[in-house]
Amino acid sequence: MQSIGRWADASGHPSGAALVAEGYVGVFVYAGTPGRAKNITAAVYADYVAHGLQVVAVYENVADDISSGAGAQHARDIMADLAHVGAPNTLLICAAADEHLTAGQVVTATGYQRDFWNTAKGAGWSGPVGGYGFSEFTHAIHDAGLSEFLWQCGSESLLWDGVTWWQRNDGTAVVGGVQVDINEQYQEVTTMPTAQEIAAAVWAYAIGKRPDGSPVEAGDAEVNEYLAGFFGGGDAGAHAVYPTVNALAAKLDQLNAKVDALQGTTPAAMQAMIDAAIGQHMQITGTVQITGAPPASPPPAA
């Protein structure tokens, strides 16, 4: 089979710049297990997409996850984690069976994959859902209609035409000081995130949400990218601009709230408010002296 691109995966996190420099076009990341060192973070994800790397996320806690009976929960875990790091729901995600399977285990693994698949699809995950494992697992989930891509490990001689990626078993590499597994891509995956979705994901990480708490969208990303360039370029520019915008918006909200509170206020109530403000903020202490010429006395009566 002819490779059309080289991907990396690692329990460490080589930088996007280092991966690109070594000729990698994509990276497999681990998600759904926050707290574990190999789990993707918002900063790492933003770094990868900022360097133009394609990303596929895999849930793998231990080698025999397929025996846990937790396929549905693992799907929920990876989706929640990816949302937390700013990844769009068009990202490719997969479950893993990181061990050779007996015939009985194949049945168990297929059930695990079915739960993972049904949960992701039922939750509205729009990106392709696939699986990682040895040839007996990839054949089984393909035949059961539970995969939209396959990432196979093991012997190259067992590759078949349904395989999208192969994790090489004949050597590893060191990228930016981090050991990575080398993966060959054999088929195009046409539903990767669009440029706008990637931009929105990166900016959602960089600037959080809008001042009113609503999600950042692609249009926001384009505007903020312009602002970043105008006010110094790169993330530093955006980070300098957006907090200021947030602070001004918050002050405007406070002002609007006070104006709304004044609607329908009577003159008497307004006078009472003014008197109270004067009483709170004006204090006279000591001797008060009035200087200047006194007013002229009226002439005596005739």
Side-chain angles (χ1 to χ4, degrees), residues 9-205:
D9 75 274
S11 56
H13 301 132
S15 71
L19 288 164
V20 171
E22 293 294 328
Y24 291 90
V25 300
V27 58
F28 293 93
V29 302
Y30 295 88
T33 56
R36 295 202 59 183
K38 71 177 182 178
N39 202 77
I40 189 69
T41 66
V44 172
Y45 177 73
D47 175 49
Y48 288 162
V49 294
H51 284 88
L53 290 163
Q54 299 178 83
V55 178
V56 174
V58 55
Y59 183 95
E60 182 185 30
N61 187 34
V62 293
D64 64 345
D65 282 335
I66 59 103
S67 300
S68 66
Q73 183 58 54
H74 292 170
R76 289 190 288 269
D77 290 342
I78 192 172
M79 289 187 291
D81 195 20
L82 290 173
H84 175 72
V85 303
N89 75 349
T90 52
L91 207 68
L92 282 76
I93 61 173
C94 69
D98 199 11
E99 59 181 346
H100 276 295
L101 305 176
T102 66
Q105 287 177 311
V106 168
V107 175
T108 301
T110 302
Y112 173 87
Q113 177 75 14
R114 179 174 290 105
D115 290 342
F116 186 96
W117 168 278
N118 287 340
T119 301
K121 294 299 183 182
W125 193 264
S126 60
V129 178
Y132 164 85
F134 289 88
S135 61
E136 63 272 15
F137 179 65
T138 61
H139 276 288
I141 62 175
H142 172 270
D143 293 347
L146 299 173
S147 65
E148 292 169 298
F149 66 90
L150 297 170
W151 178 20
Q152 186 166 303
C153 54
S155 174
E156 184 177 12
S157 65
L158 295 177
L159 291 176
W160 54 289
D161 58 9
V163 174
T164 315
W165 286 277
W166 171 50
Q167 184 183 70
R168 302 190 69 97
N169 67 345
D170 55 0
T172 60
V174 175
V175 179
V178 179
Q179 182 171 309
V180 304
D181 289 322
I182 304 167
N183 300 268
E184 305 293 350
Q185 182 178 0
Y186 298 118
Q187 298 182 34
E188 291 285 355
V189 180
T190 58
T191 52
M192 289 290 188
T194 66
Q196 278 198 329
E197 287 170 331
I198 290 173
V202 173
W203 283 106
Y205 158 68

